[in-house]
CSV table of all heavy atoms in Angstrom, one decimal:
chain,number,residue,atom,x,y,z
A,448,LEU,N,19.4,16.4,-3.0
A,448,LEU,CA,20.4,15.5,-2.6
A,448,LEU,C,21.7,16.3,-2.5
A,448,LEU,O,22.1,16.8,-3.6
A,448,LEU,CB,20.7,14.4,-3.6
A,448,LEU,CG,19.4,13.8,-4.2
A,448,LEU,CD1,19.7,12.9,-5.4
A,448,LEU,CD2,18.6,12.9,-3.2
A,449,ALA,N,22.2,16.5,-1.3
A,449,ALA,CA,23.5,17.3,-1.2
A,449,ALA,C,24.7,16.4,-1.0
A,449,ALA,O,24.6,15.5,-0.1
A,449,ALA,CB,23.3,18.3,0.0
A,450,SER,N,25.8,16.6,-1.6
A,450,SER,CA,27.0,15.9,-1.4
A,450,SER,C,28.2,16.6,-2.0
A,450,SER,O,28.0,17.2,-3.1
A,450,SER,CB,27.0,14.5,-1.8
A,450,SER,OG,27.0,14.4,-3.2
A,451,GLU,N,29.3,16.7,-1.4
A,451,GLU,CA,30.6,17.3,-1.9
A,451,GLU,C,30.3,18.7,-2.4
A,451,GLU,O,30.9,19.0,-3.5
A,451,GLU,CB,31.0,16.3,-3.1
A,451,GLU,CG,31.5,14.9,-2.6
A,451,GLU,CD,32.9,15.0,-2.2
A,451,GLU,OE1,33.7,15.7,-2.7
A,451,GLU,OE2,33.2,14.2,-1.3
A,452,GLY,N,29.6,19.5,-1.6
A,452,GLY,CA,29.5,20.8,-2.1
A,452,GLY,C,28.5,21.2,-3.2
A,452,GLY,O,28.4,22.3,-3.6
A,453,GLN,N,27.9,20.1,-3.7
A,453,GLN,CA,26.9,20.2,-4.7
A,453,GLN,C,25.5,19.8,-4.3
A,453,GLN,O,25.4,18.9,-3.5
A,453,GLN,CB,27.3,19.4,-5.9
A,453,GLN,CG,28.7,19.8,-6.5
A,453,GLN,CD,29.0,19.0,-7.8
A,453,GLN,OE1,28.1,18.8,-8.6
A,453,GLN,NE2,30.3,18.8,-8.0
A,454,THR,N,24.4,20.5,-4.7
A,454,THR,CA,23.1,20.0,-4.4
A,454,THR,C,22.4,19.6,-5.7
A,454,THR,O,22.4,20.3,-6.7
A,454,THR,CB,22.3,21.1,-3.8
A,454,THR,OG1,23.0,21.6,-2.5
A,454,THR,CG2,20.9,20.7,-3.4
A,455,ARG,N,21.9,18.4,-5.7
A,455,ARG,CA,21.1,17.9,-6.9
A,455,ARG,C,19.7,18.0,-6.6
A,455,ARG,O,19.2,17.8,-5.4
A,455,ARG,CB,21.5,16.5,-7.2
A,455,ARG,CG,23.0,16.3,-7.8
A,455,ARG,CD,23.4,14.9,-7.7
A,455,ARG,NE,23.6,14.5,-6.3
A,455,ARG,CZ,23.6,13.2,-5.9
A,455,ARG,NH1,23.4,12.3,-6.7
A,455,ARG,NH2,23.9,12.9,-4.7
A,456,VAL,N,18.9,18.3,-7.6
A,456,VAL,CA,17.4,18.3,-7.5
A,456,VAL,C,16.9,17.3,-8.4
A,456,VAL,O,17.1,17.3,-9.6
A,456,VAL,CB,16.9,19.7,-7.9
A,456,VAL,CG1,15.3,19.7,-7.8
A,456,VAL,CG2,17.5,20.9,-7.1
A,457,ARG,N,16.2,16.3,-7.8
A,457,ARG,CA,15.7,15.1,-8.7
A,457,ARG,C,14.2,15.4,-8.8
A,457,ARG,O,13.4,15.4,-7.8
A,457,ARG,CB,16.0,13.9,-8.0
A,457,ARG,CG,15.7,12.7,-8.9
A,457,ARG,CD,15.9,11.3,-8.3
A,457,ARG,NE,15.0,11.2,-7.1
A,457,ARG,CZ,15.3,10.8,-6.0
A,457,ARG,NH1,16.6,10.4,-5.8
A,457,ARG,NH2,14.5,10.8,-5.0
A,458,ILE,N,13.8,15.4,-10.1
A,458,ILE,CA,12.3,15.5,-10.4
A,458,ILE,C,11.9,14.1,-10.9
A,458,ILE,O,12.5,13.5,-11.9
A,458,ILE,CB,12.1,16.5,-11.5
A,458,ILE,CG1,12.8,17.8,-11.2
A,458,ILE,CG2,10.7,16.7,-11.8
A,458,ILE,CD1,12.9,18.8,-12.4
A,459,THR,N,10.9,13.5,-10.3
A,459,THR,CA,10.5,12.2,-10.6
A,459,THR,C,9.0,12.2,-11.0
A,459,THR,O,8.2,12.7,-10.3
A,459,THR,CB,10.6,11.2,-9.5
A,459,THR,OG1,12.0,11.3,-9.1
A,459,THR,CG2,10.3,9.8,-9.9
A,460,ALA,N,8.7,11.6,-12.2
A,460,ALA,CA,7.3,11.6,-12.6
A,460,ALA,C,6.8,10.2,-12.9
A,460,ALA,O,7.6,9.4,-13.4
A,460,ALA,CB,7.1,12.5,-13.8
A,461,LYS,N,5.5,9.9,-12.6
A,461,LYS,CA,5.0,8.6,-12.9
A,461,LYS,C,3.8,8.9,-13.9
A,461,LYS,O,3.0,9.7,-13.7
A,461,LYS,CB,4.4,8.1,-11.6
A,461,LYS,CG,4.2,6.6,-11.4
A,461,LYS,CD,3.9,6.2,-10.0
A,461,LYS,CE,4.3,4.8,-9.7
A,461,LYS,NZ,4.3,4.5,-8.3
Side-chain angles (χ1 to χ4, degrees):
Chain A
L448 321 169
S450 70
E451 294 276 328
Q453 304 187 26
T454 301
R455 289 164 290 158
V456 178
R457 190 186 57 229
I458 308 165
T459 306
K461 204 169 202 163

